[in-house]
C-alpha cells in the first residue's frame, strides 16, 4: 500500500513495515507486543490512518497523526461490535465506511461517522474493490460477488462466458476501460464485462505456467500484468496474447505471492515475492520486430590454416559471403551469440549443418567444432529462441564451401 504521503506500507509473515517517502533506508518495522506477524491486508482511510489485518490476528490501525497503534476488538468478544474474525484477507476504505472480509464467512462494514458495525453473513472474501459509487465487487470462494454498499450482497457470479469456475477468485481489479479482471485458483485469468456479460479466459494453453493466478494489475499504458506462482506476464493489448515478462525484463528467480501487487504513484509496478518486493518500470516497448534480435558469429578459428586463408575466410564470414576453404583447412571452430534491442536475455540456441539435418541444442558455450568436413557445400544454420516461450527470434546462415583435394582431379 502507498499512502497519500507517498510512504510504502509492507505486510509480510514478519509483520508490518513502512518505507518513508524520500528515505533511502530499509523499511521501518511497526512493532507492538500484541501485533501478530502475518499481515495480509492493508488500507488507508479518509483520515490517513492505516488499517491492517491478516492471518489469525485482530485488525489494527496505525494512526496517521502520531503513529500510535490501536487494536480493533473482535465481534466474537463484543457481540455486535468489532472486526468480523481473526482472519482478515481484505480491507477496503470507502468514504466513511471500512469494509473487512476474510475466510470465516462474515463481511463487516464499519461506519466511522457513527462508530457502528453492520454484518453480512455467508461471504468468504479474498479481495474487494470499489466498482461504482454504490457498488463493491468482492473476490470470493463462490465467484465474483456484487455488493450494494447499503444493502449488502446482491448476487454472486460463478460462471463467465459459459465457463464455470473450478476454484475461488483470488484477486479482482477494475481496469480503466471498465472491464473486470480476476485472478483465480484453478480457472486462470478472467476478463469480464459486468454490463454485457462478455468474458475472456486466459489459461495454460495461452502461455500461463499455471491455472492458479495470484495477481492482476494495470500499468499507466493500459497493459494488464498478472502473476502465477513462478511467472510474471502481461497481456498484449493489440493481439490479446499472453507475454512472458522474463523475455523482456530481468525478472528474479522467485515465487510470486498471492494478492501482493501495487502500481506506485511514479508508475512503477511492484509484486510481492518470496525474496521481497520486485519493483520495475513497465514503460518499455515490448513489441518486437524481426530486426530486434540479431545473431552474430565470432571467435572463428581454422585449424592449421595459413594466415592468408584465415584472413580471407574471416572477411567472407563477416561480409555474409560464402566461406571458401581449401581441403586441408576443413576443420574449424566457430562461436555465436545474439544481441537484442529489448531488455531480457532469456535466450536458447540451436543449430544444424545441412538443410535436411535435425536441429540440435547448442553447447553451453555456443561454440561448435567441426573436424574433417567432406568436400562440397555445407550450410550452417543457427537459431535463437525465447527460452520461456519457444518463439524463434532470429535465424542466421553461413555457407562453407570445402574445395576438393588436389588428387580428386586426377
Amino acid at each position: 500500500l502507498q499512502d497519500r504521503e507517498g510512504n510504502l506500507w509492507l505486510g509480510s509473515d514478519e509483520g508490518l513495515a513502512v518505507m518513508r517517502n524520500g528515505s533511502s533506508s530499509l523499511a521501518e518495522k511497526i512493532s507492538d507486543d500484541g501485533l501478530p506477524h502475518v499481515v495480509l491486508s492493508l488500507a488507508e482511510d479518509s483520515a490517513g490512518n492505516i488499517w491492517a489485518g491478516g492471518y489469525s490476528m485482530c485488525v489494527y490501525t496505525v494512526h496517521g497523526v502520531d503513529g500510535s497503534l490501536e487494536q480493533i476488538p473482535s465481534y466474537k468478544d463484543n457481540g455486535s461490535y468489532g472486526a468480523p474474525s481473526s482472519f482478515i484477507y481484505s480491507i477496503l476504505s470507502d468514504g466513511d465506511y471500512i469494509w473487512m472480509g476474510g475466510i470465516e464467512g462474515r463481511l463487516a462494514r464499519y461506519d466511522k461517522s457513527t462508530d457502528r458495525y453492520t454484518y453480512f453473513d455467508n461471504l468468504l472474501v479474498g479481495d474487494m474493490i470499489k466498482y461504482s459509487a454504490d457498488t463493491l465487487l468482492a473476490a470470493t470462494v463462490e465467484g465474483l460477488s456484487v455488493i450494494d454498499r447499503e444493502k449488502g450482497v446482491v448476487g454472486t457470479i460463478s460462471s463467465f462466458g459459459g465457463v464455470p469456475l473450478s476454484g475461488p477468485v483470488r484477486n479482482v481489479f477494475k481496469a480503466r476501460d471498465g472491464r473486470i479482471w480476476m485472478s483465480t485458483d484453478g480457472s486462470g485469468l478472467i476478463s469480464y464485462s459486468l454490463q454485457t456479460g462478455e468474458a475472456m479466459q486466459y489459461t495454460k494453453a495461452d502461455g500461463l505456467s499455471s491455472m492458479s493466478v495470484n495477481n492482476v494489475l494495470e500499468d499507466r499504458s493500459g497493459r494488464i500484468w498478472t502473476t502465477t506462482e513462478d511467472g510474471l506476464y502481461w497481456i498484449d493489448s493489440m493481439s490479446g496474447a499472453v507475454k512472458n515478462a522474463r523475455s523482456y525484463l530481468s525478472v528474479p528467480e522467485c515465487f510470486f505471492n498471492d494478492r501482493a501487487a501495487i502500481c506506485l504513484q511514479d508508475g512503477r509496478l511492484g509484486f510481492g515475492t518470496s525474496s521481497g518486493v520486485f519493483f520495475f518500470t513497465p514503460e518499455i516497448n515490448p513489441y518486437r520486430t524481426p530486426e530486434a534480435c540479431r545473431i552474430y558469429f565470432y571467435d572463428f578459428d581454422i585449424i592449421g590454416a595459413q594466415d592468408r586463408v584465415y584472413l580471407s575466410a574471416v572477411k567472407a564470414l563477416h561480409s555474409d559471403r560464402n566461406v571458401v576453404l581449401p581441403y586441408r583447412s576443413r576443420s574449424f571452430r566457430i562461436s555465436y551469440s545474439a544481441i537484442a534491442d529489448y531488455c531480457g536475455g532469456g535466450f536458447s540456441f540451436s543449430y544444424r549443418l545441412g538443410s535436411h539435418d535435425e536441429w540440435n541444442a547448442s553447447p553451453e558455450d555456443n561454440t561448435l567444432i567441426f573436424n574433417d568436413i567432406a568436400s562440397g557445400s555445407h550450410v550452417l544454420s543457427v537459431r535463437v529462441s525465447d527460452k520461456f516461450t519457444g518463439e524463434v527470434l532470429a535465424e542466421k546462415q553461413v555457407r562453407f564451401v570445402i574445395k576438393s583435394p588436389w588428387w580428386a582431379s586426377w
Side-chain angles (χ1 to χ4, degrees), residues 122-123 138 140-146 153-160:
N122 303 318
L123 197 64
T140 71
V141 171
E142 301 297 330
L144 179 67
S145 293
V146 181
V153 179
V154 175
T156 298
I157 305 167
S158 57
S159 179
F160 301 91

Side-chain angles (χ1 to χ4, degrees), residues 321-374:
R321 294 186 284 109
N322 292 345
V323 178
V324 181
L325 299 174
Y327 186 75
R328 64 178 177 274
S329 301
R330 66 189 189 278
S331 296
F332 56 87
R333 179 185 66 198
I334 188 169
S335 300
Y336 45 85
S337 189
I339 298 176
D341 292 340
Y342 51 88
C343 185
F347 294 146
S348 65
F349 291 89
S350 57
Y351 76 95
R352 68 181 181 184
L353 186 65
S355 59
H356 301 293
D357 293 347
E358 296 291 330
W359 288 94
N360 303 288
S362 179
E364 288 187 7
D365 61 356
N366 295 331
T367 297
L368 302 177
I369 299 177
F370 298 100
N371 290 309
D372 298 331
I373 296 179

Side-chain angles (χ1 to χ4, degrees), residues 9-60:
W9 296 81
L10 307 168
S12 71
D13 290 351
E14 298 183 357
L16 179 63
V18 58
M19 295 182 66
R20 302 295 178 183
N21 186 24
S23 173
S24 60
S25 60
L26 297 176
E28 167 193 341
K29 187 172 183 180
I30 306 298
S31 61
D32 183 82
D33 292 340
L35 181 63
H37 293 298
V38 185
V39 177
L40 299 175
S41 54
L42 293 167
E44 181 185 19
D45 66 21
S46 56
N49 304 311
I50 304 300
W51 294 65
Y55 190 85
S56 190
M57 65 175 279
C58 296
V59 175
Y60 288 79

Side-chain angles (χ1 to χ4, degrees), residues 136-369:
L136 311 180
L137 297 178
T140 71
V141 171
E142 301 297 330
L144 179 67
S145 293
V146 181
I147 301 172
D148 184 285
R149 70 191 302 268
E150 300 299 334
K151 300 176 182 178
V153 179
V154 175
T156 298
I157 305 167
S158 57
S159 179
F160 301 91
V163 179
L165 290 174
S166 59
V169 177
R170 286 178 164 176
N171 183 230
V172 58
F173 182 85
K174 180 184 178 183
R176 289 195 293 273
D177 63 4
R179 292 190 68 86
I180 303 303
W181 291 81
M182 292 164 282
S183 62
T184 74
D185 188 5
S187 296
L189 179 68
I190 296 174
S191 172
Y192 180 67
S193 171
L194 205 60
Q195 287 77 28
T196 66
E198 182 257 334
M200 184 172 294
Q201 183 184 31
Y202 299 86
T203 66
K204 289 179 68 174
D206 298 301
L208 296 175
S209 64
S210 171
M211 294 293 284
S212 294
V213 179
N214 292 345
N215 299 283
V216 59
L217 199 61
E218 181 181 28
D219 67 20
R220 285 181 171 179
S221 298
R223 286 190 292 263
I224 298 297
W225 296 77
T226 189
T227 64
T228 59
E229 185 179 64
D230 60 353
L232 172 64
Y233 307 87
W234 58 276
I235 308 299
D236 188 333
S237 59
M238 297 178 65
S239 66
V242 175
K243 300 289 187 178
N244 193 318
R246 293 186 190 275
S247 302
Y248 306 90
L249 301 167
S250 298
V251 181
E253 294 294 335
C254 60
F255 293 105
F256 289 91
N257 297 333
D258 183 19
R259 295 174 293 107
I262 186 173
C263 182
L264 298 178
Q265 295 165 5
D266 62 8
R268 287 180 297 157
L269 301 186
F271 289 91
T273 78
S274 56
S275 304
V277 185
F278 170 53
F279 291 109
F280 64 95
T281 300
E283 302 300 330
I284 58 176
N285 178 17
Y287 303 108
R288 297 187 293 214
T289 64
E291 295 76 24
C293 185
R294 301 176 299 281
I295 297 172
Y296 65 94
F297 294 107
Y298 69 98
D299 197 20
F300 180 54
D301 184 33
I302 305 173
I303 300 173
Q306 298 176 353
D307 289 345
R308 176 179 55 80
V309 172
Y310 173 74
L311 293 174
S312 175
V314 169
K315 184 176 180 180
L317 177 67
H318 295 301
S319 301
D320 293 327
R321 294 186 284 109
N322 292 345
V323 178
V324 181
L325 299 174
Y327 186 75
R328 64 178 177 274
S329 301
R330 66 189 189 278
S331 296
F332 56 87
R333 179 185 66 198
I334 188 169
S335 300
Y336 45 85
S337 189
I339 298 176
D341 292 340
Y342 51 88
C343 185
F347 294 146
S348 65
F349 291 89
S350 57
Y351 76 95
R352 68 181 181 184
L353 186 65
S355 59
H356 301 293
D357 293 347
E358 296 291 330
W359 288 94
N360 303 288
S362 179
E364 288 187 7
D365 61 356
N366 295 331
T367 297
L368 302 177
I369 299 177

